[in-house]
Amino acid sequence: MDHILELRGISKYFGDFVASKDVNMLVEEGEFISVLGPSGCGKTTLLRMIAGFMEESEGDILIKGKSMKGVSPEKRPVNIVFQSLALFPMMNVYENVVFGLKRKKIGKEEARELALDMLHRVGLDGFEKKKISELSGGQKQRVAIARSLVMKPSILLLDEPLSALDRKLREHMKVELKELQKEIGTTFIYITHDQSEALVMSDRVAVMNKGLIEQLDTPHNLYNHPKTAFVAGFVGDNNRFEVASREGEKVVTKRGWKVTKPDLDFDPTVMYIRPEAFIVNPEGEVADSEIFEAEINTVLFDGANTKILVKPEGRDEILIALPQNARFQALKEGDTVRVAVAYDNIKCYKE
Amino acid sequence: MDGNKKAFYFLFIPVALWLFILIILPHIDLFLSSFKPNSGEDVYTLENYSAFFADPIYWRTFINTASYAIGVTLLAFVVSFPIAFYLVKVISPKVSGFLMLLLLIPLWIGELVTIYGWVILLGEQGVINESLKFLGLIDHSLPLIYNNLSMTIGLLYMSMLFMIIPIMTTMESLDDAMIEAASDLGASKWTVFRRIVIPHAMPGIINGSIIVFMLVIGDYVAPNILGGKSSLWFTEQIYNQFLSTFNWNQGAAFGFLLLIISSATIWMALRLSGQKLDKVGD
């Protein structure tokens, strides 16, 4: 069976600037894929190429197995929800949603039914006659999504549509979007620089950096098994240590911390350890772990996300997440703690 | 009196004086004299106004003038809209700034000079005719000048900019994503223009149309220099009353008729197109 979307070696150059380089991607029908990356990584360019607003310099885009070479945006079976939403202010909510259907030459009655059904699905019953300027941020969002989904696109492209909303509403819309996608079953490709949006909503996430896809994986794997240093640093909080050299089974950081990491077959330049990978004051014996003692420098209280900073004498500062456990609530600055970290959780990379 | 109030009067008084002495007062004087007979008797009469309707040459000239003004306004829209769109949405701001400068130059050198420029271009021994003769395409000069066509060209040329600028201003606030969204939803280029770009630019279009219509209907230079015998313009009638027949009272009445009828035309056009005057310029 054909994939709903296939990117074959997509590259895009603007003069000397490389916006995307040899991007390959296979997307299954009904998947929720996020493209995550810092601003300027080329994710919006990628989206615009899929939508047809830009032409790729190299490679081919296939939708349902059909090449999209030379197919103009209005003829592609994809729709976009724009970052600015781009609702038409000269039309009311209903006219916005029905705009695309009219272009498809669908009968008036049928178009009306489809549009009203879609407005119902996004929870905007009775809003048909409202002007765009009368809507709240979240409602505008829903109109934009309804306007695109009513076209029954093979793929819905979303260009950071939540970025204009305030934090609370954004959290809410995240859940809503995911549920809507599950219910409707359309393939979503979601562009964002917000890793929490990407991890929470997506089936798979493509992490992009400097035009390259560094890793395309499930949120779980991305977090727990980052393939590159960039992914390790970009997704989630992480402790980064610059590595100076390797001495047998030991990795030595520039600050002089010697950490045991068996089975390395290359000379790493950086090492990452997640804050929650550290076990504070482990009880009993811990196997296959690096164990050290350190004094607490600072306690960063943040409710359920409380962390401590330790700085072993003359060495790198380490951020450690505390489990929500009464045992650790008494910890304060100046206390000495014993810390263990499993070898598996020490990630080394060559940059 | 606090500082704010002082500043208010400081700014307000010159404006008020200017308006009153140079605009309102002469208008009142003209308005009153338009009701007086040319004989100099100190009575008020409507004969100056009834003369307009009594003699077909007057109202026919007016209808001719008004129809041409409407035609030139429509033409100015058709020509200016693509130019404004091109300047704002297609080319880079740097290039569009330069092209804008080129558009402004004719305005700096004055209407009279630019209209004479057209005489040089279109005249019997003008640039176009001489070039065509040189190329052997024609034997005798084409009648390019002193007709309604040359007059329309001149009127269009001197008023076009006042259509382009208001349209450009409204066009600048049009989000590019809106155009993309429309074509993403399957709209053809024509539909994008008809449903998105033109409705968005409507305030600018109305604004520009009012300015162009007023400029054209009240213009004297282009019809006088480029127009032919058949293209009699109403302003020329007014001019004749003042300076040929020295019937100032009649001229004043015609002046007011022009003002009233052209204002009424604009009011009607706004009503018919469903636009409101207070929205224009938003």
Side-chain angles (χ1 to χ4, degrees):
Chain A
M1 210 198 94
D2 285 324
H3 291 271
I4 192 101
L5 174 70
E6 182 176 354
L7 303 181
R8 275 191 201 156
I10 303 294
S11 298
K12 177 75 185 172
Y13 312 108
F14 295 106
D16 288 339
F17 180 73
V18 181
S20 40
K21 185 147 179 56
D22 194 28
V23 171
N24 289 290
M25 201 190 278
L26 281 172
V27 180
E28 305 281 345
E29 174 128 36
E31 256 191 312
F32 195 132
I33 300 262
S34 286
V35 179
L36 173 67
S39 54
C41 74
K43 53 190 193 296
T44 299
T45 308
L46 191 65
L47 179 103
R48 293 177 66 81
M49 286 192 286
I50 298 172
F53 291 119
M54 260 182 204
E55 208 186 330
E56 56 278 7
S57 311
E58 285 162 22
D60 200 0
I61 294 167
L62 290 92
I63 296 174
K64 285 184 167 170
K66 263 191 237 136
S67 169
M68 287 293 124
K69 268 247 145 53
V71 179
S72 57
E74 68 264 29
K75 302 226 167 66
R76 293 193 183 197
V78 299
N79 285 104
I80 297 199
V81 177
F82 287 86
Q83 183 166 19
S84 62
L85 302 183
L87 295 172
F88 308 133
M90 57 289 265
M91 305 175 199
N92 64 27
V93 170
Y94 174 75
E95 287 167 330
N96 263 279
V97 175
V98 91
F99 182 87
L101 295 175
K102 277 190 183 168
R103 308 281 88 76
K104 269 186 168 177
K105 308 254 185 273
I106 286 178
K108 213 173 172 187
E109 277 309 305
E110 195 191 345
R112 188 177 170 78
E113 235 166 70
L114 287 170
L116 291 180
D117 176 57
M118 192 47 74
L119 280 172
H120 170 73
R121 281 189 185 215
V122 297
L124 286 176
D125 289 302
F127 277 74
E128 300 90 71
K129 293 267 158 60
K130 286 245 196 261
K131 284 188 196 152
I132 297 303
S133 56
E134 292 168 351
L135 303 180
S136 71
Q139 289 163 347
K140 282 183 190 162
Q141 198 80 55
R142 286 183 213 157
V143 175
I145 291 167
R147 186 178 71 175
S148 293
L149 277 180
V150 80
M151 300 295 287
K152 298 214 169 70
S154 299
I155 305 164
L156 184 70
L157 306 166
L158 301 105
D159 185 9
E160 307 207 28
L162 302 187
S163 59
L165 303 180
D166 60 69
R167 209 182 64 84
K168 257 231 158 93
L169 190 57
R170 199 158 61 218
E171 293 300 317
H172 176 72
M173 285 302 292
K174 254 194 309 211
V175 181
E176 211 174 279
L177 252 179
K178 176 149 179 93
E179 281 174 355
L180 187 72
Q181 193 267 341
K182 257 195 207 155
E183 189 193 317
I184 293 177
T186 308
T187 311
F188 275 36
I189 295 190
Y190 188 96
I191 301 284
T192 182
H193 65 271
D194 183 319
Q195 46 154 314
S196 140
E197 283 175 20
L199 296 180
V200 168
M201 292 193 282
S202 322
D203 299 316
R204 288 192 295 156
V205 179
V207 179
M208 255 188 117
N209 183 33
K210 293 178 183 157
L212 278 168
I213 291 194
E214 298 249 345
Q215 188 171 356
L216 172 58
D217 224 327
T218 62
H220 182 272
N221 280 346
L222 221 51
Y223 193 85
N224 292 309
H225 308 291
K227 279 191 186 136
T228 66
F230 177 80
V231 177
F234 191 72
V235 179
D237 285 336
N238 225 332
N239 287 293
R240 179 188 166 101
F241 307 95
E242 303 286 339
V243 174
S245 62
R246 180 161 71 117
E247 296 171 5
E249 289 220 319
K250 298 246 179 215
V251 172
V252 186
T253 69
K254 284 195 176 145
R255 286 277 176 74
W257 184 26
K258 289 186 181 174
V259 186
T260 311
K261 174 73 185 170
D263 306 327
L264 266 187
D265 53 3
F266 63 96
D267 288 326
T269 56
V270 283
M271 177 174 81
Y272 283 94
I273 308 173
R274 294 251 181 237
E276 65 273 19
F278 295 96
I279 302 163
V280 179
N281 292 337
E283 285 163 344
E285 277 301 302
V286 240
D288 294 333
S289 291
E290 175 74 26
I291 298 166
F292 61 95
E293 278 191 359
E295 192 176 290
I296 297 178
N297 236 358
T298 316
V299 177
L300 305 163
F301 180 78
D302 183 14
N305 299 316
T306 300
K307 296 186 176 75
I308 55 172
L309 272 173
V310 302
K311 193 169 187 303
E313 197 72 36
R315 293 201 337 230
D316 310 78
E317 197 170 54
I318 306 171
L319 185 69
I320 298 173
L322 285 183
Q324 275 318 285
N325 193 324
R327 195 149 75 86
F328 301 104
Q329 276 177 10
L331 287 179
K332 58 184 188 298
E333 285 175 31
D335 289 350
T336 301
V337 284
R338 215 165 132 253
V339 180
V341 54
Y343 298 147
D344 275 354
N345 288 332
I346 299 169
K347 311 282 183 193
C348 292
Y349 304 95
K350 196 173 172 127
E351 269 189 334
Chain B
M1 199 192 275
D2 61 16
N4 257 344
K5 258 198 173 147
K6 261 187 213 162
F8 171 75
Y9 283 113
F10 180 74
L11 294 169
F12 173 72
I13 287 171
V15 177
L17 284 176
W18 177 279
L19 278 172
F20 187 72
I21 297 173
L22 296 175
I23 296 174
I24 297 173
L25 222 51
H27 272 78
I28 292 173
D29 186 49
L30 270 181
F31 188 66
L32 292 177
S33 60
S34 75
F35 288 101
K36 286 184 176 169
N38 201 33
S39 57
E41 275 177 279
D42 198 12
V43 289
Y44 290 97
T45 161
L46 284 172
E47 67 181 47
N48 293 325
Y49 287 91
S50 57
F52 172 80
F53 300 98
D55 193 337
I57 181 85
Y58 295 140
W59 59 262
R60 281 204 183 136
T61 308
F62 189 86
I63 286 172
N64 183 56
T65 307
S67 338
Y68 265 91
I70 291 169
V72 170
T73 306
L74 290 176
L75 214 55
F77 165 68
V78 171
V79 175
S80 304
F81 195 80
I83 295 177
F85 185 81
Y86 181 79
L87 288 174
V88 177
K89 290 292 172 199
V90 181
I91 52 175
S92 75
K94 231 187 200 165
V95 185
S96 98
F98 174 72
L99 291 178
M100 204 50 218
L101 199 71
L102 291 184
L103 279 175
L104 281 168
I105 287 173
L107 209 67
W108 296 343
I109 53 179
E111 192 194 348
L112 199 60
V113 180
T114 49
I115 294 299
Y116 268 111
W118 280 103
V119 173
I120 294 169
L121 272 174
L122 299 172
E124 212 153 308
Q125 261 95 51
V127 176
I128 294 175
N129 269 322
E130 289 301 312
S131 312
L132 289 174
K133 274 187 212 160
F134 179 78
L135 291 169
L137 294 170
I138 51 168
D139 297 327
H140 305 287
S141 292
L142 297 171
L144 295 175
I145 200 168
Y146 307 129
N147 53 33
N148 288 336
L149 180 71
S150 60
M151 179 185 74
T152 307
I153 292 174
L155 288 169
L156 184 63
Y157 187 75
M158 67 106 193
S159 62
M160 221 172 67
L161 196 67
F162 297 93
M163 183 70 94
I164 295 177
I165 290 175
I167 295 180
M168 275 178 79
T169 314
T170 47
M171 205 90 92
E172 264 157 15
S173 64
L174 178 67
D175 183 3
D176 289 349
M178 214 130 78
I179 298 172
E180 289 181 349
S183 62
D184 182 56
L185 291 167
S188 63
K189 294 220 158 55
W190 165 243
T191 311
V192 173
F193 265 94
R194 198 169 52 91
R195 298 294 306 273
I196 310 295
V197 183
I198 292 181
H200 182 89
M202 211 39 163
I205 295 169
I206 299 286
N207 211 342
S209 300
I210 292 176
I211 300 171
V212 168
F213 178 76
M214 281 303 212
L215 273 178
V216 169
I217 206 170
D219 192 38
Y220 179 74
V221 179
N224 199 29
I225 296 175
L226 289 172
K229 289 215 163 58
S230 63
S231 25
L232 194 55
W233 213 247
F234 195 66
T235 47
E236 291 173 299
Q237 298 281 15
I238 300 174
Y239 179 91
N240 288 342
Q241 292 302 331
F242 275 101
L243 293 164
S244 299
T245 53
F246 296 103
N247 190 344
W248 280 47
N249 303 330
Q250 185 66 67
F254 283 179
F256 273 97
L257 277 169
L258 178 64
L259 182 68
I260 292 160
I261 302 177
S262 55
S263 303
T265 310
I266 286 172
W267 180 79
M268 251 167 55
L270 286 176
R271 283 298 295 269
L272 286 177
S273 64
Q275 300 287 329
K276 291 199 176 71
L277 194 60
D278 57 358
K279 282 268 180 77
V280 172
D282 272 2

